[in-house]
Amino acid sequence: MIGLSKSMSTHMDFQGQKLAEQLFQAIILLFGVVGFIWGYICEQFVQTMYVLAAGFLLSCILTLPPWPMYRRNPLEWQKARPEENPDEDSKDKDKKQQKKKSKSK
C-alpha cells in the first residue's frame, strides 16, 4: 500500500489548477440550473438538491485527483547553487571593507 502511494503523482501545475477550478464551477453551475428546473417541474425542492449533489460528486471526482490533464505544464525549477566555503566569504568581506576604507581616504 505504501509503495502504491509513493508511485502516484500528487501535484498539479498552476494551469492545471486553473482548469480544475473552471471545470468545478462550470459543473456546479450546470447542475444547479438543471436541478432548479427539474425541481420546479416536479415541484419538489429535494429533487433540486439531489441533482446538485450529483453534480458536486461528479465535479469532485473530476477535479480533486491530480489527473494527467492537470499536469501538462510542469514548472522548470532552477538548479541549486553550490555551497561556498565560509572561509572564502570572510576573506571576500575583508577585501571589500579594505577597498571601501581606501576609497574614502
Side-chain angles (χ1 to χ4, degrees), residues 15-31 55-56 58-65 67 69-70:
Q15 284 147 348
Q17 289 176 3
K18 182 180 178 183
L19 176 63
E21 178 68 24
Q22 290 174 344
L23 187 61
F24 178 79
Q25 289 178 359
I27 291 171
I28 293 295
L29 181 65
L30 177 69
F31 274 76
F56 178 74
L58 178 66
S59 65
C60 286
I61 291 170
L62 291 177
T63 60
L64 289 179
W67 299 109
M69 67 182 175
Y70 302 131

Side-chain angles (χ1 to χ4, degrees), residues 88-99:
E88 292 177 7
D89 288 341
S90 63
K91 290 178 184 177
D92 289 339
K93 288 179 185 177
D94 291 339
K95 288 179 183 178
K96 287 180 184 178
Q97 288 176 355
Q98 288 175 359
K99 285 182 183 179

Side-chain angles (χ1 to χ4, degrees), residues 1 3 5-7 10 13 16 43 47 49 52 54 60-61 69-70 73 75 89-90 95-96 99 103-104:
M1 183 73 175
S5 66
K6 287 184 179 181
S7 67
T10 58
D13 59 49
E43 296 180 0
Q47 294 295 321
M49 297 310 294
L52 190 57
C60 286
I61 291 170
M69 67 182 175
Y70 302 131
N73 302 302
L75 291 175
D89 288 341
S90 63
K95 288 179 183 178
K96 287 180 184 178
K99 285 182 183 179
K103 286 182 181 179
S104 63

